[in-house]
Amino acid sequence: MPVSRLNRVAVLVLDGAKPLDVGIPAQVFTTRASMPYEVRVCGAAPGLVTGGDGLSYHVAHGPDALGWADIVFVPGYRHPDREPPGPAVLEALVAAHDRGARLAAISTGAFALAATGLLDGRRATTHWHYTRALAAQYPLVRVDENVLFVDEGSVLTSAGAASGIDLCLHVLRGDLGVAAANHAARRLVAAPYRSGGQAQYVPRSVPEPIGERFAATREWALHRLGEPLTLETLARHAAVSPRTFSRRFVEDTGYTPMQWVMRARVDMARELLERSERGVEQIAADTGLGTGANLRLHFQSILGTTPSEYRRTFAQGE
């Protein structure tokens, strides 16, 4: 849902919290004119928290900040598979969720959410090194080790630190629209969108130069979405067979090549709806979706809404 007021973000720093995991949501959602968020960093208690990798944090707030927040980020922390956070923290997480706040774990922060029981019966992920431990310790959680992040609505989980950026940008896309998320990605010098279904890591048997060619092909395609793009065209650019391209593309992104192209076209249409006055037919032509009817069909299928409803929600004007 779009943010209509200042959205409150709490970053919960537990003992041994990983610096990147803490810094990502704090930086992405830091309060600025273009970002309607307020961030508070909290811990099990106010004061000094010993972090991971030689860093410590001085937090101004205790678990009470979770009762203030609209979204709570739980970064990864030390020995997540050995000892859950204390009862006060778990109770505060459950109370925040019951009040309607979203809970989002980065990396091994998923163990804290699992300890609350809120992941029972839901899909979730964590850093690939800990997926088996998460599944063994919390068998009611449907652990998916082959994705970057999982959005289950009120609870979200992500893999290693870098995928925390993908998760934060995913939240921004839902709150503020594609243009705001792309602006934040440019500020972070990060990829504007990697799907949650993308594999956590590329199989070791894949030669690195091929991975580089595939990334270059995706970038090439993003600048030509208004043109005809077929599997054969993409494979030719990557200098591999269509069969090899299809197999590797799914491994890299979680989508078939044409699914990826369709979603990229829909994303381009979303940004044009947000930032321009162009009509639906013109946007459909500009993005390679052909007709307004086709655009509406894919909007409903992928986003569950119509272009006109989307524009009313996110339009920013010229």
Side-chain angles (χ1 to χ4, degrees):
M1 293 296 292
V3 175
S4 58
R5 59 171 176 76
L6 197 65
N7 220 26
R8 298 172 297 228
V9 177
V11 182
L12 177 61
V13 180
L14 301 173
D15 187 57
K18 300 298 183 181
L20 277 177
D21 295 4
V22 173
I24 287 166
Q27 182 171 351
V28 170
F29 295 98
T30 187
T31 305
R32 51 169 51 88
S34 61
M35 295 284 287
Y37 296 91
E38 179 183 352
V39 178
R40 292 183 183 177
V41 181
C42 63
L48 191 67
V49 180
T50 301
D53 303 317
L55 296 181
S56 296
Y57 314 89
H58 193 282
V59 301
H61 306 279
D64 55 298
L66 276 59
W68 161 89
D70 299 306
I71 181 167
V72 177
F73 283 92
V74 186
Y77 54 97
R78 183 183 294 117
H79 307 314
D81 54 338
R82 298 185 192 176
E83 185 176 352
V89 169
L90 297 181
E91 290 170 7
L93 285 168
V94 172
H97 179 267
D98 290 347
R99 186 177 45 78
R102 290 171 288 173
L103 307 183
I106 296 178
S107 189
T108 56
F111 280 80
L113 297 192
T116 67
L118 293 172
L119 292 182
D120 289 356
R122 289 181 158 128
R123 283 180 65 237
T125 193
T126 188
H127 190 284
W128 61 266
H129 185 74
Y130 284 92
T131 51
R132 290 185 180 180
L134 182 64
Q137 194 166 339
Y138 300 100
L140 295 180
V141 179
R142 296 188 288 121
V143 179
D144 190 338
E145 62 183 58
N146 295 313
V147 293
L148 292 180
F149 61 84
V150 175
D151 182 348
E152 288 282 275
S154 61
V155 288
L156 304 91
T157 52
S158 64
S163 64
I165 298 176
D166 299 306
L167 178 63
C168 289
L169 293 176
H170 171 74
V171 169
L172 276 180
R173 287 161 66 89
D175 283 357
L176 303 181
V178 172
N182 287 349
H183 175 75
R186 286 192 294 271
R187 179 163 43 81
L188 295 167
V189 196
Y193 182 62
R194 293 195 298 170
S195 77
Q198 185 167 331
Q200 288 197 27
Y201 55 89
V202 176
R204 293 183 182 181
S205 61
V206 176
E208 187 173 340
I210 292 181
E212 292 173 355
R213 289 208 302 272
F214 276 44
T217 295
R218 291 196 295 271
E219 181 67 22
W220 176 83
L222 286 173
H223 292 286
R224 292 163 176 81
L225 293 174
E227 303 173 13
L229 291 174
T230 64
L231 172 61
E232 290 72 21
T233 302
L234 297 172
R236 190 180 310 118
H237 183 273
V240 296
S241 71
R243 182 177 179 180
T244 296
F245 187 82
S246 291
R247 184 181 70 253
R248 273 296 322 284
F249 202 93
V250 171
E251 291 173 351
D252 283 359
T253 69
Y255 294 123
T256 68
M258 301 323 294
Q259 285 174 334
W260 181 89
V261 167
M262 181 57 64
R263 285 181 173 267
R265 284 172 166 160
V266 168
D267 279 351
M268 183 179 177
R270 290 170 68 179
E271 187 159 9
L272 290 173
L273 286 166
E274 293 169 18
R275 301 174 68 96
S276 79
E277 298 291 333
R278 296 181 214 181
V280 169
E281 293 292 340
Q282 184 61 54
I283 289 175
D286 292 343
T287 58
L289 290 169
T291 65
N294 199 37
L295 188 153
R296 293 183 185 94
L297 176 66
H298 291 294
F299 252 65
Q300 192 64 49
S301 173
I302 294 173
L303 302 174
T305 188
T306 65
S308 58
E309 289 171 345
Y310 186 87
R311 171 168 268 165
R312 280 195 297 271
T313 301
F314 292 106
Q316 300 173 17
E318 292 287 3

